[in-house]
Amino acid sequence: MKPAPFEYFAPETAEEALALMAEHGVEARPLAGGQSLVPLINMRMAQPSVLIDLNRCPELAYLRGEDGMLVSGPMTRQRELELSETVRAACPLIAKAMPYMGHATIRNRGTAGGSLSHADPSAELPGVALALGAEMIAGGPNGRRTVPATEFFFAELTTALEPDEMLCEIRFPEAPAGSRAAFAEVGSHFGGLALVGVAAQIDLDSAGRCTKAALAATGAGERPTRLSSTEAVLTGEVLEKQSIAEAAEAAAGDVEPLEDLHATAHWRRRAAVAMAARVLHEIADEAGTR
Amino acid sequence: MTARREVRVTVNGRAYARNVEPRMLLVDFLRHECGLTGTHVGCAHGVCGACTIVLDGVSVRSCLTFAVQAEGKEITTVEGLADGESLTALQQAFHENHALQCGYCTPGFLMSLTEFLRETPNPDEGQIRERLSGNLCRCTGYANIVSAVQMAAQRLREKGGVS
């Protein structure tokens, strides 16, 4: 099957892109890396009549540290997030999750903003953004507004972005000194369809005690889910076999998985528990508390 | 129908200019407009990797890119790898290791793995298999492809060369 016809614009500035979004509204889709949108267009599951290609707006692709935040443009490629020393130092969780996103060739083209705006419930970056407490900067006809990650993901493929808005910047709080991060995922095969994943960043004091836990699950609901019960169980504890088992089990009550062709809701719930245990064990091993 | 646009690209060092609809995929442009049929269409939704090319220096899926997006850019396809009759180390290793049977997926593997060997000159088997996960082959079972990559990597290291 081939794409249905569409009108194509290739703006060269963010301002021009936003003006086109305002003009074409619901008819238009911004085209970032295209690694999720173009398959839908090829299969005609999506038939936007206007495509606004952001690939010729160099000002939308950047990565910098700023006042304790790692700031990314929407068009920054996933491969850059994966390999950047800035990212590895500021937000190691992002660097650890990136290799799970598709394949290297997909990440060469796929972008930070594209993955977040597409909001596939199984996608890695939305889970990472939720765990880190990222801020999404949405731009539209009325200017810019900040949407916290907790309010950005509504449902499957649905975000807080209005039809004439686009994601203009992502701000990730830098990991505090002494924190550790891990990401784990289970899927049909490596790089293939992801089923359930867990992203974690755990702050540890000098005695190895958890002072703050931040975990989010992907693929275990219609949007990425913060594992608040797991976090509550862990806080104040040293990560060892018993505390990890209890904390991971608590994740079963945090997720609300849906059943589909790939897995039952029960399977996804247990996978969330298993992935939570896996990331916590990895962090405990790194910290030497287990 | 939407207005056709002129697309000017350089493919394997040769310039092409064609008027195409914005909805034309880059893989169809290469095959039907440039006559470069080495790049194959497999799944047409980014899963199989048969259409992998190099666009502006990095490997991409040409089924997930529109031809209009390549305007003004440089492309390398599988036809651009060998120097005349002289195969690259990776192509030669595919040949010697029987790393292909029907060959449909091979151009995509070669384009992806050429980039991989440049980035990872001394890969272990795990790294090779991780990279191979982005390309599907339904004939070989991948074992001979892994051997070919190992052989090519070793020869390139001995030669100190890039391709």
Side-chain angles (χ1 to χ4, degrees):
Chain A
M1 204 142 172
K2 299 296 176 191
F6 53 81
E7 205 176 346
Y8 173 82
F9 295 96
E12 291 179 0
T13 65
E15 196 187 340
E16 219 185 305
L18 284 169
L20 285 163
M21 289 292 293
E23 187 187 336
H24 296 282
V26 289
E27 300 301 311
R29 289 293 298 271
L31 174 61
Q35 305 301 288
S36 300
L37 180 56
V38 179
L40 296 178
I41 290 175
N42 287 356
M43 292 185 275
R44 299 203 179 189
M45 289 160 76
Q47 293 193 24
S49 53
V50 175
L51 274 187
I52 300 165
D53 185 0
L54 305 177
N55 286 278
R56 291 185 195 268
C57 300
E59 67 183 278
L60 292 175
Y62 55 87
L63 206 49
R64 60 170 183 263
E66 192 181 286
D67 302 330
M69 301 287 250
L70 174 72
V71 183
S72 171
M75 288 302 291
T76 304
R77 307 286 171 186
Q78 292 156 6
R79 188 71 170 157
E80 193 181 341
L81 294 178
E82 177 185 358
L83 301 177
S84 150
E85 284 304 320
T86 308
V87 172
R88 197 170 301 275
C91 294
L93 178 57
I94 298 177
K96 288 194 170 185
M98 276 300 138
Y100 290 91
M101 293 189 72
H103 312 282
T105 299
I106 298 288
R107 296 192 293 275
N108 276 341
R109 192 84 182 149
T111 65
S115 174
L116 292 164
S117 306
H118 186 66
D120 185 306
S122 297
E124 294 80 4
L125 197 55
V128 167
L130 186 65
L132 293 181
E135 293 173 348
M136 315 293 171
I137 314 296
N142 303 316
R144 290 183 164 216
R145 65 189 178 106
T146 301
V147 185
T150 44
E151 293 165 26
F152 187 76
F153 304 104
F154 276 11
E156 188 172 355
L157 311 188
T158 309
T159 67
L161 292 170
E162 298 293 336
D164 54 4
E165 281 185 317
M166 66 177 203
L167 186 53
C168 287
E169 186 168 281
I170 310 109
R171 304 172 68 85
F172 300 95
E174 282 181 13
S179 73
R180 293 189 182 269
F183 186 88
E185 184 178 276
V186 59
S188 56
H189 62 282
F190 188 85
L193 176 76
L195 290 173
V196 174
V198 170
Q201 180 171 288
I202 310 293
D203 302 358
L204 300 168
D205 66 16
S206 53
R209 202 168 294 278
C210 166
T211 53
K212 186 183 174 215
L215 295 97
T218 57
E222 56 177 356
R223 54 184 175 174
T225 316
R226 196 75 188 240
L227 301 180
S228 326
S229 309
T230 300
E231 294 170 0
V233 172
L234 273 183
T235 307
E237 298 293 324
V238 172
L239 270 64
E240 41 75 47
K241 205 173 170 189
Q242 188 60 32
S243 63
I244 289 175
E246 281 171 26
E249 191 56 43
D254 286 331
V255 295
E256 292 175 35
L258 303 173
E259 182 152 322
D260 63 19
L261 149 89
H262 303 291
T264 63
H266 175 74
W267 189 94
R268 285 184 190 271
R269 178 171 280 115
R270 297 315 304 171
V273 170
M275 292 304 108
R278 193 175 290 178
V279 292
L280 294 173
H281 278 300
E282 186 183 322
I283 288 169
D285 283 346
E286 266 189 34
T289 56
R290 187 169 69 113
Chain B
M1 287 293 137
T2 48
R4 287 174 172 254
R5 293 169 72 107
E6 185 171 43
V7 174
R8 289 154 300 184
V9 291
T10 305
V11 189
N12 305 327
R14 188 180 149 188
Y16 295 83
R18 301 284 190 276
N19 279 306
V20 301
E21 278 189 82
R23 65 169 167 160
M24 175 175 271
L25 296 169
L26 183 53
V27 66
D28 293 328
F29 180 89
L30 292 168
R31 292 176 56 83
H32 304 307
E33 298 293 329
C34 305
L36 295 167
T37 52
T39 304
H40 292 163
V41 184
C43 68
H45 63 279
V47 172
C48 77
C51 69
T52 305
I53 58 157
V54 170
L55 176 66
D56 268 358
V58 297
S59 68
V60 305
R61 302 279 202 246
S62 60
C63 76
L64 298 186
T65 312
F66 296 106
V68 286
Q69 297 187 276
E71 159 65 19
K73 295 190 183 289
E74 293 221 7
I75 291 168
T76 309
T77 66
V78 69
E79 290 93 340
L81 290 182
D83 181 9
E85 293 295 303
S86 160
L87 298 179
T88 66
L90 182 65
Q91 288 175 312
Q92 184 64 34
F94 260 63
H95 174 64
E96 289 178 34
N97 287 276
H98 195 55
L100 60 146
Q101 288 180 34
C102 84
Y104 197 85
C105 66
T106 310
F109 272 94
L110 293 172
M111 298 315 288
S112 174
L113 292 169
T114 299
E115 175 181 68
F116 171 71
L117 286 175
R118 200 173 57 233
E119 292 171 351
T120 322
N122 193 8
D124 62 32
E125 187 180 335
Q127 289 172 306
I128 294 171
R129 287 190 177 273
E130 183 176 331
R131 183 68 188 219
L132 292 185
S133 72
N135 293 72
L136 297 181
C137 171
R138 301 289 78 167
C139 302
T140 62
Y142 304 99
N144 291 352
I145 299 179
V146 173
S147 304
V149 179
Q150 286 166 331
M151 177 186 280
Q154 191 188 343
R155 286 179 178 170
L156 287 168
R157 285 198 304 277
E158 285 163 6
K159 230 172 56 173
V162 176
S163 62

